[in-house]
Each structure stands twice: as structure tokens, then as C-alpha cells.
Amino acid sequence: MTLSSDENSLDGPLPPVLFPGATSTERRKLAELKAAGRIRPVGPRLYVSVPEADTAKTLQRTWSTVVTRLFPAAFITHRTALEYRPSPDGEIFINASSTREVKYPGLVLKFIRGPGPRSDDPKFLTIRSSSIPRALLENLSRGRSSESRVLPIEEVERRLEKILHAGGEAELNSVRDSARDIANDFGWKAEFKRLDSLVGTLLGTRRGKVSSAIAQARATGEPFDASCLERMQLLFADLRSPIAAVTDSFTAVDHVKNKAFFEAYFSNYIEGTTFEVSEAEEIIFDNKLPATRPKDAHDIAGTFDIVSNQDEMRRTPNEFQDLIDLLCSRHETMMSHRPEAEPGRFKTEPNRAGDTRFIHPDYVRGTLRKGWELYQGLETGLPRAIFIAFL
């Protein structure tokens, strides 16, 4: 342990975790701090300066510092090599030549007998950790002795699906190819067989069994965006609470027309299609399209045609396919003068606005279906209206 000039004082600030001194001066200083009650030992070769109530959380947060300082030859494996945090039981899994445990408050370093690092196992701080293909194989080992060291199969499936989502089939096949080489080197035939089956199922090249909802959706050809579903579930929970009744009249023609105008105006405005209000009035009510911006004008007019049609606005989906049909038909009306936008068809290329990446094309239909399932659990009226707009 090396203490700064401030830390050399018995009254100065101290780091949360401290290690055995490398010199006689450092060891003497540790002894003085311990005698003064400013630090206390919490396990082999480790001291803390935090209150006892904070010790477990502190060690869990600083686990990588503890491992790299006390075990400089450590090799991180199994679930730790995928999560890089302690397990729910506070465990960190480390490859070693023998099996043992080193326990601290809230933190257990579990050394597991196994093969050492390969050249493709990456650096982690000053030590090494299993590569993703190797860690996936390690997390597909089965047996009573490996239960705590592996992630639940649902989490392994989610990680494989995430690789497929981010890198496509080529990336997932590359992971499988690397895993095959590792399995051949280490004799992990059973683990690779499980991985190969999961990859084949996600790619749709074989029929296999998967456990997680997102992997099942991928296997059936309708994957969904898990983070989007999480947001929809939060909204669903709020909309299940009582909402004040809203009364609105759709009978007054001017009322409907004025609302539809501003709906068309502002919904295009936020997408970057901006006109002066007077220009938009001429486009919608006088059919006066500016010669320099005919497509922008048709965007506003097309939106107005939809939202000003009371019969159209009263159409609500009774089945999932109804929702798809409504989306496609209304998009076709709005974008009828923009063939490059493929009116009435879902996007085929990823899109973004600034730093926001929108849902991947492969996930659109599956995510809409998940939203539809939530929508059906809401009361008719405003709760469903709010949710379907968000969806």
C-alpha cells in the first residue's frame, strides 16, 4: 500500500480499501492506523476504512481492485467474465490450479480449477478474463458443482440474441466458430453442443428449445426490443391506475377541423417539416401547394386527411393484424408523395435522430405485438388511447 502525503497523517483521508504494506514504513503506518481505530481487517490481507455497515457494499463495488492487488495472476471466468460484477451472492469466479474460497464481508472469491488463459482471452485491467465465446461455453456447463458459477440459461440466450441483434448472423457465427475451437482444445464437447443448438435455433436453421421470451420470439421469426418492452410495461402500470374521465365532442365540425389542423401542423413540425401557420392553412384549406416544397406540403395535407376524418379516427384494432393494417394504410396516405419512404411498408434500414437509435427493423413487428398484448389489458377509452399513441 502506498499512502499519499495527506493519507500519511493519522487524521487525513483514507482510501476505502487498503492492502498490506510493501515496505516497513507502510507496515508501520498500517499498524498505527489500526491502533487508532481508523482501519480494521476484514479478511486475508485486506483492510477497510469505512463503517462496518458499509463494508459489504464497498467491497462489492471495489472487487476488481481487491482481485488485481491481491491476486495479480488472476484469470476471471464463468459468469463474472460476462457480467463483471459480483453474483447475487457476492461471488467472483476466478480460474486457478486448485479449488478454494477467499471470503470477505459481502464478497467471496471462488477459485475454480480449470485451463489457463488462451491468447485470445482479453486483458481486464492488469489481469485477464475469458473471451466472450469461452465465457459462453463456461456458462453452459451443467452440474451441481457449477450451479452458482453460471448465469441462468435465459440470460445466456439473451446475450446470444443481443450479439445477433448487434452484429447480425455473421457475428453470431463468428462467436460459434471461436467457441468450437475452444471446445476442441479443452474437450468441452457437451458445452459446445448446447451453444451450437442455441445459435442454430436463434438463426432459424434448426428447431431447438429456448427458455427466454426474447429468444423464443427470435426463434419464431418475430423478435422484439426488450428495452422498449420495459418502457411500455412502465407506462402500462401507470395507466392501470384510475384516470379522470375526459369528455370530448366530435360532433362540432369546426372543433374537429381545428384540432385536426394543429395535429397535422405540429406532428410534421416536430419531424422538421416546418411552415408558417398561414402557409399551412393555405395548403390544407385552399389546396395551395408551394411549388418549391410540394412533398412537404403533401405530408401535412395527408396527415390532415387522416385525422380530420371522424370515421377513420373511430377505427380501432380488434386484432393484432388490424393494428398492422391501420398503421400501414395511414402511413401510405401520409407518405403517398414520397415513394422513397416506401409508403405503407415497415422500414428496412435502421434509423436514428441525434444520439437516439430507434428500434431495429427486425424488431418492429415483434415489439408491436408485445405492445398489442399489453394494450388489450387496459380499459377502453383514454388509457388505451395514450398507450397506443406511445406504442
Side-chain angles (χ1 to χ4, degrees), residues 377-391:
L378 293 170
E379 294 292 331
T380 57
L382 187 60
R384 285 193 172 189
I386 292 172
F387 186 86
I388 207 74
F390 183 77
L391 174 61

Side-chain angles (χ1 to χ4, degrees), residues 201-214:
T201 301
L202 290 175
L203 292 177
T205 57
R206 66 177 63 183
R207 298 182 66 179
K209 182 180 180 182
V210 288
S211 302
S212 64
I214 195 165

Side-chain angles (χ1 to χ4, degrees), residues 59-60 63 67 80 86-87 89-94 100-111:
L59 294 182
Q60 288 176 1
W63 72 268
V67 172
T80 310
S87 72
D89 294 327
E91 301 162 314
I92 295 294
F93 297 95
I94 303 170
R100 63 190 177 102
E101 290 185 0
V102 179
K103 294 185 176 182
Y104 302 101
L107 185 66
V108 182
L109 307 183
K110 305 198 79 167
F111 294 83

